[in-house]
Amino acid sequence: TRWTSPQKSYLYAGDDGTLNRITAGSDGTFSVDIFSAEYEYISTVTPEEELPIWGGFYSGSEYNFCIFGQTNEAEDDSCEVIRIVKYSKEWERLDSVSLYGCNTTVPFDAGTPRMCEDGGNLYVHTSHEMYAIDGINHQANFQIHVDIGSMDCFYSYYDIMNIRQAGYVSHSFDQYVRAEGEYVYTLDLGDANPR
């Protein structure tokens, strides 16, 4: 295929020298296997289930973040389509932020959500299938900016937009994000159609 999907496995080193393996299931659940620096198994943490679609994981400087979603085939603006959850480094659930409707029928469709942080903010660059236009549900990128302290979403774009104004890419089959100072850089793998 020419597109990606959410990653189901991650490995990161903890500040305490442990190795942490995150493994996501097909139903939005995930577990964290913790190993010593010598690769000896220590324990498994299984956080409570959130939404049924796994999106991704990010190990931040102070917190861990996971993103989840659910479908919205009815195109209902009151339907929760994305939830970003903040965890402690010991996997205690601390807070979350939810997005509703957002012109989304299928979150993370044909893409891989990626996250980064800078200046106390979490930046998410992902994809979604949008509400039908002329009977067709098109796919495009989707960007979310969250204040980590308050877990408030202070910026998002998910509508069809002018590419020169907002970095809109349709179709976006892989997404990357990096933030440095006052700038947030995004990169999308567009399709072969010259859009």
Side-chain angles (χ1 to χ4, degrees):
T1 61
R2 289 188 287 172
W3 52 85
T4 59
S5 59
Q7 291 179 266
K8 302 283 188 178
S9 180
Y10 298 81
L11 183 65
Y12 77 96
D15 292 337
D16 58 359
T18 60
L19 295 173
N20 299 263
R21 180 180 63 195
I22 292 91
T23 305
S26 59
D27 57 356
T29 61
F30 72 103
S31 62
V32 183
D33 296 316
I34 303 168
F35 299 87
S36 71
E38 292 76 35
Y39 309 106
E40 296 171 344
Y41 173 79
I42 297 173
S43 65
T44 298
V45 177
T46 307
E48 289 187 27
E49 185 175 346
E50 297 284 340
L51 295 178
I53 301 173
W54 170 261
F57 162 77
Y58 175 71
S59 175
S61 60
E62 295 182 48
Y63 306 102
N64 289 329
F65 299 91
C66 293
I67 184 169
F68 306 88
Q70 69 180 346
T71 60
N72 179 19
E73 294 172 7
E75 300 183 3
D76 178 358
D77 285 339
S78 66
C79 177
E80 182 182 16
V81 293
I82 289 180
R83 182 183 303 164
I84 302 166
V85 181
K86 177 170 77 172
Y87 299 91
S88 70
K89 289 296 186 174
E90 294 75 35
W91 291 100
E92 175 189 358
R93 189 186 195 281
L94 300 174
D95 205 350
S96 66
V97 61
S98 297
L99 287 88
Y100 298 86
C102 297
N103 189 33
T104 299
T105 56
V106 181
F108 326 128
D109 184 50
T112 301
R114 291 202 169 79
M115 297 176 258
C116 71
E117 68 177 320
D118 189 59
N121 299 318
L122 180 71
Y123 299 99
V124 181
H125 194 51
T126 185
S127 61
H128 65 145
E129 180 185 271
M130 299 180 286
Y131 291 178
I133 298 173
D134 297 329
I136 299 172
N137 295 91
H138 294 280
Q139 189 267 13
N141 59 1
F142 185 158
Q143 194 165 138
I144 305 162
H145 299 180
V146 175
D147 178 285
I148 292 172
S150 66
M151 286 303 285
D152 289 326
C153 177
F154 63 89
Y155 174 79
S156 63
Y157 78 82
Y158 44 78
D159 287 324
I160 296 173
M161 297 184 180
N162 182 322
I163 192 168
R164 292 188 180 127
Q165 294 175 348
Y168 173 77
V169 176
S170 170
H171 300 99
S172 171
F173 292 149
D174 202 3
Q175 301 80 36
Y176 297 86
V177 61
R178 182 173 180 159
E180 291 183 2
E182 63 185 278
Y183 296 103
V184 178
Y185 302 92
T186 60
L187 176 69
D188 294 78
L189 173 65
D191 64 9
N193 197 329
R195 293 186 162 98

